[in-house]
Amino acid sequence: MATILRDLSYRYQWLYDGISRVAAISVGGEARFRQLALKGLTIHSDTQVLDLCCGSGQSTQFLVKYSQNVTGLDASPRSLQRARQNVPEAAYVEAFAEKMPFTDNSFDVVHTSAALHEMQSEQLQQIIQEVYRVLKPGGVFTLVDFHAPTNPIFWPGVSLFLLLFETETAWQLIKTDLPVLLSEIGFNVDQSTLYAGGSLQVIQAKK
Ligand SMILES: C[S@@+](CC[C@H](N)C(=O)[O-])C[C@H]1O[C@@H](n2cnc3c(N)ncnc32)[C@H](O)[C@@H]1O
């Protein structure tokens, strides 16, 4: 069931964007959701930014407002085709996040939104290691994704959402202590902030 609905939402961008818009109400709307992970970051026009698992450019459209050097990476040719149309200001690369075609120390900022919950745990580790590799020393990994609600009122909504649209990897992610995982890989976790009754986490970690 969940995979059918997720596949449908990937096939029809209006459906994906509609679901995101409704889910983002919990943090004050889509524009706010899309910029949660950018809070407090310094991004100049020449800052090298990677939008990892960029999808159809949903967050890339905000990143290009700050930097002229934004690259979106995704494994899905269909999403990338849409991203190229939606946000032509960025460059795009089709690749897997766990094996990125970039040299070491390439980016000042790696951003990822709503993607890590799709990864198996070993894959998640590989991706974080890859992010560490491609970030410049002092560069920042900033992410937003699901988290286990800390306010019980949010559990029914989050559970329903995960049951309808996600797979077991999302349930695994909310049981994972991402700040600890990031630290084990070598990051210094600067900030870890919860939103929407704890159901969303934003983490900023420095290489
Ligand atoms: C839920 S979408 C998130 C898209 C966008 N970042 C957003 O905030 O709406 C997850 C994206 O991750 C991509 N993805 C999943 N696994 C991937 C992998 N191993 N490597 C690269 N991209 C991947 C999918 O193709 C999809 O576009």
Side-chain angles (χ1 to χ4, degrees):
M1 169 77 167
T3 39
I4 295 171
L5 287 176
R6 183 156 81 181
D7 288 351
L8 278 177
S9 75
Y10 278 174
R11 184 161 315 166
Y12 302 107
Q13 202 195 326
W14 60 266
L15 181 60
Y16 181 91
D17 289 344
I19 295 162
S20 302
R21 220 164 282 139
V22 172
I25 291 171
S26 61
V27 290
E30 170 125 46
R32 184 155 186 264
F33 169 65
R34 295 282 163 210
Q35 295 178 89
L36 280 183
L38 306 184
K39 259 190 183 175
L41 285 185
T42 309
I43 304 181
H44 300 294
S45 62
D46 61 348
T47 303
Q48 299 288 336
V49 180
L50 174 64
D51 190 14
L52 188 62
C53 304
C54 63
S56 307
Q58 287 89 348
S59 295
T60 325
Q61 64 181 313
F62 292 96
L63 293 167
V64 297
K65 290 184 182 173
Y66 300 97
S67 168
Q68 292 177 353
N69 293 286
V70 177
T71 302
L73 178 146
D74 203 282
S76 157
R78 180 166 49 198
S79 294
L80 285 173
Q81 193 186 350
R82 288 176 182 155
R84 284 189 183 99
Q85 278 170 2
N86 296 337
V87 193
E89 299 90 334
Y92 294 96
V93 173
E94 183 187 327
F96 287 108
E98 53 270 50
K99 202 170 187 318
M100 292 191 242
F102 304 120
T103 53
D104 299 358
N105 310 324
S106 294
F107 294 96
D108 300 294
V109 172
V110 176
H111 165 275
T112 193
S113 59
L116 296 183
H117 67 267
E118 294 192 1
M119 311 304 166
Q120 300 289 346
S121 43
E122 198 183 322
Q123 192 184 16
L124 179 64
Q125 286 224 8
Q126 287 170 357
I127 290 171
I128 297 175
Q129 275 160 357
E130 270 293 85
V131 171
Y132 191 87
R133 182 184 69 76
V134 303
L135 268 174
K136 297 177 186 174
V140 176
F141 182 26
T142 185
L143 68 95
V144 55
D145 218 306
F146 294 116
H147 183 272
T150 48
N151 182 339
I153 292 172
F154 281 77
W155 266 113
V158 171
S159 303
L160 184 65
F161 188 92
L162 298 193
L163 285 170
L164 287 176
F165 297 106
E166 303 299 341
T167 65
E168 82 292 345
T169 57
W171 294 95
Q172 271 167 27
L173 184 87
I174 66 172
K175 289 187 207 141
T176 303
D177 192 331
L178 274 181
V180 167
L181 186 55
L182 287 157
S183 304
E184 283 170 0
I185 288 170
F187 282 100
N188 286 318
V189 177
D190 284 346
Q191 266 197 30
S192 173
T193 313
L194 300 181
Y195 295 89
S199 57
L200 274 182
Q201 58 186 326
V202 171
I203 301 178
Q204 292 183 349
K206 204 173 268 174
K207 174 170 174 181

